[in-house]
Amino acid sequence: MKENIFDVAIIGGGVAGAAIARKLSSYDCTVSLLEKECDVSFGVSKANSGIIHGGFHHGPGYLKSRLEVQGNRMFDQLEEELHFPFKRCGIVVAAFSEEEMKTVQQLYRNGEANKIVGLELCNRARILELEPKLNRDVVGGLYAPAGGIIEPYRFVFSLVESAVKNGVQLRTEFEVVTAERTNGYYDIRSSTGDKILSKWVINAAGLFADRVSAVFKAEEFRIIPRKGEEFLLGRNCSSRPNHVIFPVPGAVSKGILVIPTVEGTTMIGPTAREQESKDDFSTTEENLNQVFSSARRLIPSLSQREIITSFAGLRPALKSGDFYIGISGKRPNFVQVAGIQSPGLTAVPAIAEYVKDLLKKDGLVLTEKIDYDPAIPDQPRIRYADNNEIDSLVKKNPAFGRVVCRCESVSEAEIVAAVRNGHTTLDGVKFYTRAQMGKCQGGFCTDRIVKIISRETGMDIVSITKRGRGTYLARNKIGDFEVKDENSIV
Amino acid sequence: MKTVSFDTLVIGGGASGMAAALAVAEEGWKVAIVEREESLGGILHQCIHNGFGLHYFKEELSGPEYAERFSEMVESSNISVYLNMTIMDIVKEGDGLTAFGLSMDPGMVRFKVRTVVFANGCRERNRGNIGIPGTRPSGVFTAGLAQRLVNLEGLVPGKECVIVGSGDIGLIMARRMSWIGAHVKAVVEIQPNPAGLTRNIVQCLNDFDIPLYLSHVVGNIKGKDRVEGVDVIPLENGIQQRDKMFSIDCDTLLLAVGLVPDNELARKIGVALNQETGGPVVDSTLMTGIEGVFACGNLLHVHDLVDFVTEESFRCGTFVSGFLKGKRPEKQYKTNPGKNVKYIVPNHYERIRENRFYMRTLIVKNNALLSVKVKGTEIYSKKLRHIQPSEMIQFSLTEEDFKLIKEEGPMEVSIE
């Protein structure tokens, strides 16, 4: 049972939990990362817009802005070590009236107070020079060259891969249901009866951070799910901007953005609507129309004809609007990392540092590992390679020569790498490789991917799922009958 | 990187690619077919139902049988076939074209060719394309993917099924799902008329007591992990009647909502596309806007019968051969879709030889009249017993027809 005893248990395999796990993996302590879904990033993080924010939306009074500014600066080194898709394409805020320009000036002052470098107040000519596809009614705006875009799930996968490489134990399908503290350890049980013991616990449970806090009898608070619907337009979209385009923000959210994703598609959204349910990810026609009319105010040429898919995510918001990161006042050795919504993704590298410092201050002895290796291997991908490079990849591993997903040019070698990295569902493979993410949305490659997963894992095809429990692809094989009662076969 | 040279590279080894390649090779040219899958035949492999070949072979074949007849012809020709290979890129180089094909063995291959034929078919429209709102559970499949899972992988996608779209693919899958023990609860069609052939309505729906909801749409998908049901909304004069919405419980939703030419590669090299067909704009010899690059089959426009794909692709191969001999079209004029016509292919014609046209109408009508006019003067007309958007219409005009009139210029085709 020794392997089930840890110094630190992190609850939640989203981007916050993953970043904290990786940070702690550089020290001599045993860490377990617990995720209730069948893969990491399958909660809040997978539907993130992927913006690396520019540090101007809020002034330094907020914890979230301080961490955002620090976090932003850490991404270049992270990319070098972890090879997730990241580009500092810059952010443009477009104002359409003198009134909006006043808000833009406030954003500029926020940025200055946060000591952001390169921030630029722009007149109409300058903003149109930066972004010629903008609505000609634009009167000016703000340019933040340090803003950027990443693929959020790839970032989480890389963080976890690095953490696991350095000794973190990942437990998926581990939904924490009870926790008792005895003899200096939390005895943590999952819904399926698994058990671990841990001296310290970090609650990074995203949407369910309130529930986890209650399980541990720690602080009472409420996570308010705020839905964001996003629409994805295909590659070669003629309306794709050069920068992330923001409107001038409103009171609740940063508004509907037009995002040129790192991988070449264009995304518009998200909406922002509070709801009760934590598992309602549905999209509606009304919101589609709302998103498009807002996005067209920024870039009029955007066309609904280019939509390839849509999805919704839930932000784990707190009433305060700020992050809630701190040592619990009610329970020993318990750290709250809650309310990590926008700009959470940008801030997480700094959040991980911050949490590490909190743990240290509270008595966890952290000695740096001598053999800590921050880098993970860069998985070659044929869509990034030229024809000669692909040819030499195939010479080393023929599986690079079999194109499984034609829309996104994904080879069998990349699918195999995903599966061998533990991503054994269709969505896991999709987020790791982009196969099924293109124009045909898996119409041509789903059956090929299922066969590769089955071959690599030994799983029967009928037990392969889209994203874990209940999301099966096929009920059974033709000829397999279920006997309902003695007189009938179904 | 290995380099090979051919007169013609045919992209796609389905019905279209095989016919085009055979026609070019027959004239003695050196031809290569590049096919992504492990055998020739394309989508025909998964179409195990019959009804193929009635026009071309004058007998009723299944999809795989139709494919086999052609792959045998290809095998006994001197066409070079590259299987398990995907064309990644094409560039213009000097007088010719260079294409890059990727396979496991021998890796990347450089094809130096004089002509290219795009014959890589079409893909299915999906949920994102038609924007069905709701949740995103497992169990939503395009009909073609479901067909592949059933017919090639031997899987039962689900037990209780709703199908969107009453085109032939939707109807065939309704029957197929019933045969594997699923309960097909409804076929939902947005149009007021069924889109598929009458024989398929009878054999695939009526024989299995499957209700067909005309003028209805699926307006919402429900279910967290797996599909649990759909909301169906009636249309009146094209407007959704939400107060008359009803739900159907099901674990599977199949989408048979149309096909679009798979033209990403063609578009990448700068081939101009037709907004109506989604395929390349072609001249009277089925050549795209790029010299030496041709298109045929479902990549050019979506056909309703494979026999027509074969016919068009043979013709394309003959044009390619002519091009290789140095033949270039004479003076060409545009073909314009007129009243009630969705599109007409090819987009140009010549006066000095036989021209064959494929077209689709926008309307449903009995006893319609097709009329072809050049500068207002009717050159050809044809009575059509029944027309509907899902059925392709074809006609030919010969040199003799054009001699009847003095007018020269763009041709307008209309239907009344």
Side-chain angles (χ1 to χ4, degrees), chain A residues 283 391 439 443 472 475-476, chain B residues 136 138 148 156 226 264:
Chain A
T283 52
D391 194 44
K439 219 169 179 176
Y472 64 90
R475 277 300 276 265
N476 50 263
Chain B
R136 251 144 294 273
S138 178
R148 201 145 62 247
V156 179
R226 178 77 188 197
E264 287 306 290

Side-chain angles (χ1 to χ4, degrees), chain A residues 135-334:
Chain A
N135 188 339
R136 312 304 285 182
D137 294 342
V138 67
V139 299
L142 185 71
Y143 174 45
I149 39 176
I150 68 169
E151 294 280 287
Y153 28 85
R154 284 280 303 281
F155 181 44
V156 178
F157 289 167
S158 289
L159 286 166
V160 172
E161 191 181 330
S162 164
V164 168
K165 186 183 165 192
N166 289 293
V168 170
Q169 199 182 97
L170 169 67
R171 296 283 186 89
T172 52
E173 295 181 314
F174 193 112
E175 181 178 7
V176 175
V177 286
T178 64
E180 297 299 331
R181 191 170 165 85
T182 44
N183 304 325
Y185 281 92
Y186 284 103
D187 175 340
I188 304 167
R189 303 286 172 105
S190 82
S191 53
T192 54
D194 286 338
K195 159 185 168 165
I196 66 153
L197 295 175
S198 184
K199 275 187 210 164
W200 293 78
V201 169
I202 294 166
N203 175 15
L207 270 180
F208 300 93
D210 49 359
R211 202 177 291 172
V212 166
S213 189
V215 165
F216 281 84
K217 303 180 190 70
E219 282 76 5
E220 283 176 26
F221 55 88
R222 192 162 87 88
I223 297 290
I224 307 153
R226 195 192 298 144
K227 188 187 278 183
E229 294 181 34
E230 309 252 22
F231 297 86
L232 195 66
L233 314 182
R235 286 176 183 274
N236 314 314
C237 167
S238 54
S239 310
R240 181 181 157 88
N242 304 319
H243 311 82
V244 179
I245 312 293
F246 279 73
V248 170
V252 198
S253 82
K254 298 185 173 82
I256 302 292
L257 325 180
V258 184
I259 305 161
T261 73
V262 204
E263 289 281 12
T265 53
T266 302
M267 191 155 79
I268 61 173
T271 54
R273 190 164 293 166
E274 285 182 8
Q275 64 180 40
E276 282 297 317
S277 167
K278 289 181 176 177
D279 57 12
D280 170 11
F281 294 89
S282 60
T283 52
T284 62
E285 204 170 343
E286 295 75 41
N287 288 346
L288 162 79
N289 295 333
Q290 185 222 318
V291 166
F292 260 89
S293 69
S294 304
R296 276 208 199 97
R297 187 169 161 252
L298 301 174
I299 299 186
S301 59
L302 283 163
S303 159
Q304 289 197 14
R305 282 182 68 151
E306 301 197 60
I307 296 180
I308 55 174
T309 190
S310 59
F311 59 91
L314 299 178
R315 307 171 183 84
L318 285 166
K319 206 174 168 194
S320 71
D322 206 348
F323 298 161
Y324 169 33
I325 306 173
I327 304 280
S328 169
K330 285 183 75 177
R331 300 289 284 164
N333 295 7
F334 191 84

Side-chain angles (χ1 to χ4, degrees), chain A residues 235-236 279 281-286 305 307-312 382 387-388 390-391 394-395 398-404 406 409 439-448 451 461-462 466-467 469-478 482 490, chain B residues 1 36-37 43 84 86 88-89 100 102-104 106-108 110 120 122-124 126-129 132-139 141-142 145 148-150 153-159 176 180 220 224-226 240 242 251 262-264 267 275:
Chain A
R235 286 176 183 274
N236 314 314
D279 57 12
F281 294 89
S282 60
T283 52
T284 62
E285 204 170 343
E286 295 75 41
R305 282 182 68 151
I307 296 180
I308 55 174
T309 190
S310 59
F311 59 91
I382 59 170
N387 294 326
N388 285 313
I390 295 173
D391 194 44
V394 180
K395 296 287 168 336
F400 281 107
R402 184 168 177 249
V403 180
V404 174
R406 56 173 92 168
S409 296
K439 219 169 179 176
C440 87
Q441 289 283 300
F444 281 122
C445 60
T446 300
D447 57 321
R448 293 165 160 232
K451 280 193 271 189
I461 281 187
V462 291
K466 180 170 161 63
R467 49 166 187 266
R469 65 170 150 68
T471 62
Y472 64 90
L473 181 75
R475 277 300 276 265
N476 50 263
K477 290 178 191 153
I478 295 174
E482 301 165 21
V490 180
Chain B
M1 197 186 306
R36 289 167 36 88
E37 300 290 333
I43 216 72
N84 294 307
T86 305
M88 305 296 285
D89 205 4
F100 294 88
L102 178 58
S103 66
M104 291 172 84
M108 195 66 95
R110 185 190 280 118
N120 50 305
C122 55
R123 65 171 178 83
E124 298 179 274
N126 53 45
R127 178 180 179 179
N129 301 136
I132 306 179
T135 58
R136 251 144 294 273
S138 178
F141 302 94
T142 55
L145 172 59
R148 201 145 62 247
L149 294 176
V150 174
E153 307 304 331
L155 295 170
V156 179
K159 285 290 169 69
R176 191 71 186 100
I180 61 169
N220 189 30
K224 183 167 172 271
D225 295 330
R226 178 77 188 197
Q240 292 191 5
R242 286 186 171 265
D251 61 18
D262 198 6
N263 51 43
E264 287 306 290
R267 185 153 90 161
Q275 283 296 315

Side-chain angles (χ1 to χ4, degrees), chain B residues 3-4 18 52-53 75 90 101 140 144 146 163 195 200 209 217 275 295 303 305 313 346 386 395 404 410:
Chain B
T3 301
V4 290
M18 289 193 283
F52 299 89
E75 268 161 39
I90 302 178
V140 181
I163 297 176
N200 281 333
D209 295 328
V217 292
Q275 283 296 315
H303 297 59
L305 292 179
S313 304
H386 176 78
F395 65 95
L404 295 175

Side-chain angles (χ1 to χ4, degrees), chain A residues 394-466:
Chain A
V394 180
K395 296 287 168 336
K396 276 178 249 162
N397 175 3
F400 281 107
R402 184 168 177 249
V403 180
V404 174
C405 164
R406 56 173 92 168
C407 304
E408 295 293 301
S409 296
V410 181
S411 67
E412 177 160 330
E414 295 157 56
I415 311 279
V416 169
V419 176
R420 291 189 183 165
N421 267 298
H423 308 295
T424 54
T425 60
L426 281 167
D427 277 3
V429 167
K430 174 166 89 177
F431 292 133
Y432 188 90
T433 65
R434 288 190 73 76
Q436 314 159 68
M437 235 184 229
K439 219 169 179 176
C440 87
Q441 289 283 300
F444 281 122
C445 60
T446 300
D447 57 321
R448 293 165 160 232
I449 295 167
V450 166
K451 280 193 271 189
I452 295 169
I453 296 175
S454 171
R455 186 190 70 206
E456 291 295 315
T457 60
M459 284 159 79
D460 193 295
I461 281 187
V462 291
S463 59
I464 292 169
T465 64
K466 180 170 161 63

